[in-house]
């Protein structure tokens, strides 16, 4: 048998830079309540959301991704041509094919680097970080650009009571690279396809096309069931992630859970017995739920506000449709 040589990579991977893009238009609860017979008070009390950002016509998935990536590359001190792979996590790129990652890489100038999209909904960014980290350690890439981006308003019905006030738009990006010390801990990830229907696109495209008056099949969610799953199960995943990285809550500086609901964030922090001094991402209040973009957006805000500092230890945990989840401990660049 012919023996093949195999690639070897860096001993460890780390995040070198983070960037994000928030659409210009701020949409307060008051703009949405009439169509769903709700109130600013109800939305704030049940979800913690005060306002969110909706993308305008020029703020496409590609435009937001490129803007977030340029900031991340700049902070990392890495040129686009040094990127060996572009991974885009999204559920709202509206062309079935080709992957938007290829167009984003071309616009950035990543010099024909491999580029592909992944679909893991709100857990997509943490899936991308796990893949990128393993590629760097496995030798298939030196620098990887991971983007989480959504224009959820394209697939949200503003008359759907259960989702209209939750979903929003934006992009976040991270540049990953080689390191002498671990800057990205082992991923803990999984899925529960038995709960496939809890958050989903309402209909299959083929079913939409046979309707008399076809409408965009928007997202629907069984909110209470998702709420219970996230509040109870995700705290256990968070603890397992700390265990796999060989640290405890006492070693954490920053906690960045998926920005789905402020009450879920509080419930997780309580279950994990997070010490008071751990800074917790609460971007949801001003950004809503941006699915794959939520964690890098929240992290970037904390970096900009000085709440997350270089060298801090942060736990990222993302969960959503699938139901899919992924979590890892990272060092803030
Ligand atoms: N405005 C006002 N009232 C509303 C409403 C709205 N938009 N939507 C539902 N209600 C009413 C319901 O009719 C119900 O009324 P009733 O008690 O008279 O029957 C009541 O409010 C409670 O509804 P419920 O669906 O149980 O609310 P909730 O406390 O579960 O909050 C969510 C709803 C969506 C905020 C919450 O379930 C949630 O955030 N779920 C998790 C979402 C998530 O994590 N997604 C992550 C993956 S993307």
């Amino acid at each position: 048998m012919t023996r093949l040589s195999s690639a070897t990579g860096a001993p460890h991977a780390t995040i070198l830079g983070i960037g994000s893009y928030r659409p210009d238009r701020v949409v307060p609860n008051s703009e949405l309540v009439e169509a769903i017979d709700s109130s600013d008070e109800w939305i704030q009390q049940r979800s913690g959301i005060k306002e969110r950002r909706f993308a305008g016509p020029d703020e496409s998935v590609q435009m937001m991704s490129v803007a977030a990536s340029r900031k991340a590359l700049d902070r990392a001190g890495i040129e686009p041509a040094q990127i060996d792979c572009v991974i885009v996590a999204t559920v709202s790129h509206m062309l079935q094919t080709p992957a938007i990652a290829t167009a984003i890489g071309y616009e950035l100038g990543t010099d024909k680097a491999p580029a592909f999209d992944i679909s893991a909904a709100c857990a997509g960014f943490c899936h991308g970080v796990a893949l990128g980290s393993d590629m760097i350690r496995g030798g298939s890439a030196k620098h990887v650009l991971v983007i989480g981006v959504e224009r959820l308003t394209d697939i949200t019905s503003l008359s759907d009571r259960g989702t209209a006030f939750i979903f929003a738009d934006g992009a976040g990006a991270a540049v990953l690279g080689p390191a002498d010390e671990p800057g990205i801990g082992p991923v803990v990830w999984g899925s529960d396809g038995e709960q496939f229907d809890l958050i989903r696109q309402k209909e299959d495209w083929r079913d939409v096309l046979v309707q008399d008056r076809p409408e965009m099949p928007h997202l629907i969610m069984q909110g209470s069931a998702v709420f219970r799953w996230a509040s109870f199960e995700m705290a256990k995943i968070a603890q397992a992630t700390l265990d796999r990285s060989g640290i405890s809550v006492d070693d954490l500086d920053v906690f960045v859970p998926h920005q789905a609901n402020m009450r879920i964030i509080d419930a997780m922090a309580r279950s994990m017995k997070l010490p008071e001094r751990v800074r917790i991402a609460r971007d949801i209040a001003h950004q809503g739920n941006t699915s794959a973009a939520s964690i890098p957006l929240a992290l970037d805000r904390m970096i900009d506000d000085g709440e997350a500092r270089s060298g801090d230890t942060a736990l990222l945990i993302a969960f959503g449709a699938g139901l899919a989840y992924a979590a890892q401990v990272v060092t803030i660049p």
Side-chain angles (χ1 to χ4, degrees):
M1 197 172 74
T2 308
R3 191 161 190 277
L4 305 179
S5 52
S6 70
T8 47
H12 305 289
T14 196
I15 300 179
L16 300 173
I18 299 270
S20 68
Y21 178 84
R22 293 173 201 271
D24 284 339
R25 188 171 159 230
V26 177
V27 179
N29 291 336
S30 57
E31 263 192 53
L32 304 177
V33 291
E34 197 180 321
I36 53 171
D37 186 22
S38 189
S39 67
D40 176 38
E41 192 192 5
W42 189 93
I43 294 172
Q44 287 205 41
Q45 198 239 322
R46 295 287 172 135
S47 70
I49 301 172
K50 296 177 201 282
E51 59 191 16
R52 75 285 290 141
R53 305 279 182 121
F54 282 2
D58 298 335
E59 293 171 312
S60 65
V61 164
Q62 181 171 335
M63 179 265 159
M64 294 192 289
S65 298
V66 167
S69 300
R70 286 199 173 124
K71 186 174 169 193
L73 286 161
D74 196 44
R75 280 185 165 167
I78 296 292
E79 294 298 323
Q82 290 175 266
I83 294 294
D84 302 306
C85 186
V86 181
I87 301 175
V88 175
T90 188
V91 295
S92 46
H93 163 51
M94 301 305 282
L95 272 189
Q96 199 87 41
T97 195
I100 194 65
T102 61
I104 293 167
Y106 178 69
E107 189 176 341
L108 285 169
T110 55
D111 200 15
K112 297 191 169 57
F116 56 89
D117 297 354
I118 55 173
S119 174
C122 305
F125 178 77
C126 289
H127 277 67
V129 170
L131 292 176
S133 168
D134 285 356
M135 287 162 73
I136 290 164
R137 294 183 313 114
S140 51
K142 189 172 175 196
H143 295 108
V144 178
L145 176 62
V146 180
I147 299 166
V149 57
E150 303 291 1
R151 257 181 75 103
L152 291 177
T153 46
D154 285 338
I155 50 171
T156 300
S157 163
L158 293 184
S159 56
D160 182 297
R161 259 188 136 198
T163 55
F165 62 95
I166 292 179
F167 294 130
D169 306 329
V175 176
L176 315 186
D180 294 331
E181 295 293 325
I184 300 172
V187 68
V188 173
W189 53 358
S191 66
D192 181 2
E194 195 180 354
Q195 309 204 66
F196 182 86
D197 285 328
L198 290 192
I199 312 169
R200 57 168 293 164
Q201 180 176 329
K202 193 170 165 217
E203 291 137 335
D204 183 312
W205 287 109
R206 290 163 301 184
D207 296 332
V208 173
L209 293 173
V210 297
Q211 291 169 6
D212 286 344
R213 283 197 290 166
E215 274 182 20
M216 177 70 81
H218 59 82
L219 295 173
I220 50 171
M221 176 169 71
Q222 296 178 41
S224 305
V226 177
F227 188 96
R228 282 193 300 276
W229 173 77
S231 301
F232 297 113
E233 297 304 320
M234 288 305 101
K236 294 182 214 161
I237 299 302
Q239 186 56 52
T241 309
L242 296 179
D243 294 345
R244 282 220 65 197
S245 276
I247 66 168
S248 79
V249 283
D250 295 326
D251 300 304
L252 274 185
D253 302 301
V254 176
F255 178 47
V256 192
H258 170 45
Q259 304 291 293
N261 184 312
M262 197 71 88
R263 287 157 56 216
I264 295 177
I265 295 171
D266 289 335
M268 286 176 70
R270 269 195 310 275
S271 306
M272 291 169 62
K273 300 192 171 50
L274 274 191
E276 286 260 321
R277 53 164 199 81
V278 176
R279 275 100 57 195
I280 301 176
R282 297 187 182 281
D283 200 32
I284 177 101
H286 301 287
Q287 189 65 40
N289 178 342
T290 55
S291 191
S294 103
I295 286 190
L297 274 164
L299 192 48
D300 198 33
R301 185 191 288 274
M302 293 183 91
I303 292 171
D304 284 346
D305 291 352
E307 280 189 283
R309 294 168 215 125
S310 182
D312 278 354
T313 301
L315 171 63
L316 316 182
I317 176 162
F319 49 85
L323 298 172
Y325 61 86
Q328 59 264 108
V329 176
V330 302
T331 306
I332 302 290

